[in-house]
Amino acid sequence: MLKVLDTGLNTTIQDMGRNGLYHLGVPPSGAADKYSFQLGNLLLGNPVHYAGLEMTLLGAAIEFRKKTVIAVTGAPMDVYLNHGKIPMWENVKVEEGDVLSFKSAQSGVRTYLCVSGGILVPEMLGSKSTYSLNQFGAYIGKKLVNGTELGLGEPLPGVFKQVGKRIPPTYTPQFGDRVDIRVVMGLSSYRLSDEGIKAFLNTEWRVSAESNRVACRYKGATISYKKFEPPFGAGSGSSNVVDIAYPIGVLMVPNSEEIIMLLNDATTGGGFVTVGTAISPDLDKVSQSRPNSTTRFIAVTVDQAITARLEKKKKLLKLTELLDGRPI
Amino acid sequence: MFTLPETRFDFSGDEYIYAEISRNMSAESNFKALAITNELRNRSIPGIIDICPSNASYLIRFNPEIISAHDLLDYLKEIDVTKSNPSELNLKIRIVEIPIWYDDPITREYSERYKNRHPCPELSNFEFIMKTNNFKDKEELIISHSSTPYLISMMGFTPGTAWEFPLGISPEQIIQTPKYLSPRPDTPKQAVGLGGAFTVIYSVPGPGSYQLIGLSAVPVFDPERKLEDLKDMLFLAKPGDIWKHRPIGENEYNRIVSQVNRGTYRYHMKEVEFSPEEYFAKGKEYINQIMEGF
């Protein structure tokens, strides 16, 4: 068992998410930066979907009531076990009564704590993930509060022999203040003017503070719409379309001053003009983009998107082999 | 019978295909989306993760490591051409009553709170709809909104939220409204919102861009499985179902909410066979026929 002494800014239980319920309005949820999250589980030899904690900007303080092995990954934070600093991206043994505490993230947004055997909470609709807009998911959902106690799985056989094992630095992600996000253009981009499309692709967009697990909002340029008779049923605003189911990663243009990208806890449908969709291997970088950091959107074809996806997957497989872990 | 223009397909990122049946909303486009996605669901194709029928479109999420994106696109195009006849789509549906407290103080307060994101900040959302649709008084809007049955044309947004599209009235009789200029970060649970030609009932607190006109006394999502009628599914809505709104006042609102909280509330509903083909042939007359006695 572990006890949350201090939840930090916003700490939730996440796994690899829930699938197949999107048509009912249930978004996938799950770890926002799946690459970092999976690396934590891989390092421990856990199946990659085992639940862990996701911390946002300001870390938590946690007391362990069980001897086990942990790994901390994601956005760099100073991490202390009792009073000694411990490394991230490395398996660390904790004893019963140890207190793990985190400072604030130096760059990036989300830091993960994975534990051998995973965090044990009941599943809701097939996943332990917390869904931020509603009281469901892991800990029948709300944010964890101070004093919350969570069950831990049995440390996996052999895991204590894995203490000290680490992720080689070439495999750890970078958390900079500037990212390129690849986008497959399309959907209702025909509603934007040529200048609007150019402004979308040629601007360094700034991430707004009103960003979270539901969506990332960007500001920076003016995107103009084409003169267009709004279709029947859409509403008369120039950004209004007849409501569609939104892909995760979709970029909406609800007004000419703002673009909004939907993430894992997305509102799954709606009626705004959409310019395209970020490719899934780049969503980890979006989730780690801080308010006021900048983003450029790069147009790619669907074939390039799939190639990028496979490259990322190969990297994970190679790392798995290197760590002698379980297959993904 | 009726005809629809050819569906337009688009890749979205590396794992979605978006199919736009039409840019305009119509019951025809919606039933086509339902017919095709039902067919696809029955075929259980490996690699397909999500099948989402939407108002006048549908969205497919797939794993491109299991199924080729281009092969799947060709496959969808074939289904779109050969299996899109809504006249074959007969549905066992439910008609469900939704009691609504129109122009209530909570949604009025939200209108005020987020007026800086609104195209017409000096009006409440309710007043804005009255003005843009030429309603002279409050009652007129309430009667117009609650006298028409609505088709559940799509689910999504948040768990169990459903889009409702009016049935049996002509396009010019449908209340239409633009959305917020920038989405509100918050919306009260069970708020009734209007956007475009659609009504939604927000299932949980969250963002939103529709104009708020009232509060539903009954939930559309029951994660705690308190209510008998939602035990199996958690969600009230089902695409193809018909909902009917009934205006209520504060006292009845409070009475129903307390029944819901105690877990004793039962939805007023009935099951009927619905034939899209008959609806397209007879229109309002057919709707009146299936609504009879409800």
Side-chain angles (χ1 to χ4, degrees):
Chain A
M1 198 179 74
L2 65 75
K3 184 175 179 182
V4 180
L5 303 177
D6 181 346
T7 57
L9 188 61
N10 181 12
T11 299
T12 59
I13 299 163
Q14 298 295 342
D15 57 16
M16 290 295 278
R18 45 178 73 77
N19 279 326
L21 300 167
Y22 205 71
H23 64 292
L24 300 170
V26 182
S29 299
D33 171 1
K34 288 207 169 56
Y35 183 75
S36 295
F37 175 75
Q38 289 183 85
L39 260 49
N41 273 334
L42 273 178
L43 198 52
L44 291 165
N46 281 343
V48 288
H49 68 270
Y50 268 31
L53 291 183
E54 180 178 284
M55 293 169 273
T56 314
L57 290 169
L58 190 62
I62 287 152
E63 184 188 330
F64 283 85
R65 302 270 174 87
K66 189 179 201 168
K67 178 182 168 183
T68 187
V69 180
I70 61 164
V72 178
T73 63
M77 286 183 181
D78 284 339
V79 191
Y80 296 87
L81 189 60
N82 302 320
H83 297 291
K85 208 167 156 186
I86 60 162
M88 288 180 60
W89 310 100
E90 181 173 323
N91 286 337
V92 175
K93 184 170 79 169
V94 295
E95 301 286 349
E96 190 179 336
D98 279 355
V99 173
L100 185 73
S101 59
F102 299 81
K103 300 284 189 225
S104 54
Q106 292 134 18
S107 56
V109 178
R110 295 181 167 93
T111 304
Y112 294 93
L113 169 66
C114 293
V115 184
S116 183
I119 288 175
L120 299 184
V121 289
E123 290 193 348
M124 174 77 177
L125 301 176
S127 160
K128 296 184 165 69
S129 286
T130 306
Y131 166 51
S132 61
L133 285 184
N134 180 48
Q135 293 73 42
F136 91 67
Y139 205 63
I140 310 301
K142 306 120 192 176
K143 274 192 258 187
L144 299 177
V145 294
N146 295 351
T148 303
E149 294 180 344
L150 299 172
L152 292 180
E154 188 59 24
L156 297 183
V159 74
F160 291 101
K161 289 188 278 186
Q162 305 293 325
V163 171
K165 188 190 251 189
R166 45 180 310 136
I167 304 279
T170 45
Y171 286 89
T172 58
Q174 300 297 308
F175 302 97
D177 274 337
R178 212 200 142 273
V179 289
D180 286 344
I181 301 298
R182 289 164 288 186
V183 172
V184 176
M185 302 289 283
L187 294 161
S188 47
S189 58
Y190 54 78
R191 292 281 297 274
L192 300 173
S193 69
D194 290 352
E195 300 74 49
I197 300 280
K198 274 188 210 139
F200 171 70
L201 292 170
N202 293 337
T203 299
E204 290 259 346
W205 291 93
R206 197 166 26 77
V207 173
S208 115
E210 211 175 276
S211 299
N212 50 33
R213 289 181 44 89
V214 176
C216 189
R217 294 189 186 221
Y218 299 91
K219 284 197 171 164
T222 300
I223 298 189
S224 51
Y225 303 95
K226 264 186 201 148
K227 288 216 182 318
F228 200 89
E229 186 64 31
F232 173 77
S236 60
S238 46
S239 68
N240 293 177
V241 299
V242 167
D243 296 46
I244 64 165
Y246 288 139
I248 298 293
V250 81
L251 283 144
M252 300 185 269
V253 189
N255 57 68
S256 54
E257 306 302 324
E258 178 181 37
I259 49 179
I260 301 179
M261 189 196 294
L262 290 174
L263 300 172
N264 289 351
D265 285 355
T267 47
T268 72
F272 286 121
V273 164
T274 44
V275 55
T277 310
I279 69 172
S280 68
D282 286 356
L283 293 178
D284 299 333
K285 288 195 280 181
V286 175
S287 300
Q288 294 287 12
S289 300
R290 294 199 152 200
N292 282 322
S293 68
T294 59
T295 300
R296 289 230 1 203
F297 297 107
I298 315 287
V300 295
T301 64
V302 65
D303 291 324
Q304 288 170 319
I306 291 168
T307 304
R309 175 196 181 97
L310 293 177
E311 275 166 11
K312 192 161 182 180
K313 172 135 190 198
K314 274 185 207 143
K315 193 173 169 185
L316 260 180
L317 287 171
K318 214 169 146 201
L319 180 66
T320 311
E321 210 176 294
L322 210 65
L323 294 170
D324 198 19
R326 287 148 209 259
I328 298 171
Chain B
M1 273 307 294
F2 53 86
T3 52
L4 288 165
E6 208 177 316
T7 300
R8 185 181 71 89
F9 290 90
D10 234 348
F11 286 114
S12 304
D14 51 321
E15 49 185 42
Y16 294 90
I17 294 176
Y18 166 68
E20 184 181 77
I21 295 168
S22 64
R23 290 180 185 173
N24 291 308
M25 179 58 190
S26 66
E28 285 87 339
S29 295
N30 187 247
F31 284 120
K32 175 169 171 173
L34 208 52
I36 291 166
T37 50
N38 279 352
E39 173 68 26
L40 192 59
R41 206 176 289 281
N42 289 338
R43 294 188 186 189
S44 307
I45 307 297
I48 291 183
I49 301 166
D50 286 300
I51 300 171
C52 310
S54 314
N55 292 314
S57 58
Y58 51 94
L59 182 73
I60 308 298
R61 181 177 173 214
F62 64 101
N63 181 345
E65 295 155 35
I66 298 176
I67 187 165
S68 140
H70 297 286
D71 288 346
L72 180 59
L73 178 61
D74 290 343
Y75 189 85
L76 289 178
K77 282 180 174 166
E78 197 184 304
I79 297 179
D80 198 272
V81 171
T82 56
K83 294 284 177 189
S84 65
N85 190 354
S87 68
E88 292 169 19
L89 188 75
N90 276 2
L91 302 160
K92 193 186 259 312
I93 62 149
R94 298 170 317 170
I95 304 172
V96 185
E97 182 188 270
I98 310 287
I100 296 177
W101 182 12
Y102 286 94
D103 199 24
D104 65 292
I106 294 172
T107 57
R108 246 185 282 146
E109 194 264 311
Y110 272 73
S111 287
E112 179 64 24
R113 194 187 302 174
Y114 297 113
K115 64 183 179 186
N116 63 337
R117 299 162 184 259
H118 197 272
C120 213
E122 69 280 10
L123 298 178
S124 75
N125 290 186
F126 193 95
E127 291 162 342
F128 177 67
I129 292 169
M130 279 175 60
K131 189 181 165 198
T132 49
N133 290 272
N134 300 317
F135 288 113
K136 284 182 284 302
D137 59 40
K138 191 176 146 174
E139 278 313 298
E140 210 183 325
L141 169 54
I142 294 174
I143 290 166
S144 169
H145 187 260
S146 60
S147 57
T148 308
Y150 290 75
L151 168 72
I152 300 301
S153 54
M154 168 177 169
M155 284 182 73
F157 191 69
T158 51
T161 298
W163 277 257
E164 304 174 49
F165 181 68
L167 279 181
I169 56 175
S170 61
E172 55 276 12
Q173 289 173 296
I174 293 176
I175 303 170
Q176 286 217 72
T177 177
K179 293 144 201 169
Y180 268 58
L181 296 174
S182 176
R184 285 179 306 271
D186 194 24
T187 307
K189 181 179 161 186
Q190 285 164 226
V192 182
L194 264 61
F198 300 96
T199 294
V200 303
I201 296 170
Y202 289 90
S203 63
V204 298
S209 60
Y210 276 25
Q211 312 290 340
L212 305 181
I213 62 160
L215 273 183
S216 164
V218 297
V220 294
F221 174 49
D222 181 24
E224 289 158 43
R225 297 175 194 260
K226 274 202 298 203
L227 295 171
E228 181 67 31
D229 298 311
L230 302 188
K231 258 199 180 98
D232 299 335
M233 269 302 293
L234 309 181
F235 310 104
L236 179 64
K238 218 176 131 207
D241 274 2
I242 291 175
W243 285 5
K244 178 79 169 52
H245 308 121
R246 181 169 66 85
I248 55 170
E250 183 174 2
N251 288 343
E252 189 171 3
Y253 174 86
N254 289 333
R255 193 162 65 241
I256 296 174
V257 167
S258 90
Q259 284 172 353
V260 169
N261 291 340
R262 286 199 306 271
T264 57
Y265 181 79
R266 296 300 304 264
Y267 292 81
H268 177 38
M269 58 171 121
K270 78 165 181 181
E271 276 200 355
V272 292
E273 288 284 339
F274 184 70
S275 155
E277 192 176 31
E278 271 197 75
Y279 171 62
F280 295 128
K282 297 188 202 153
K284 191 178 173 69
E285 186 196 331
Y286 180 66
I287 295 299
N288 288 344
Q289 186 188 320
I290 63 164
M291 294 300 293
E292 210 175 278
F294 189 77

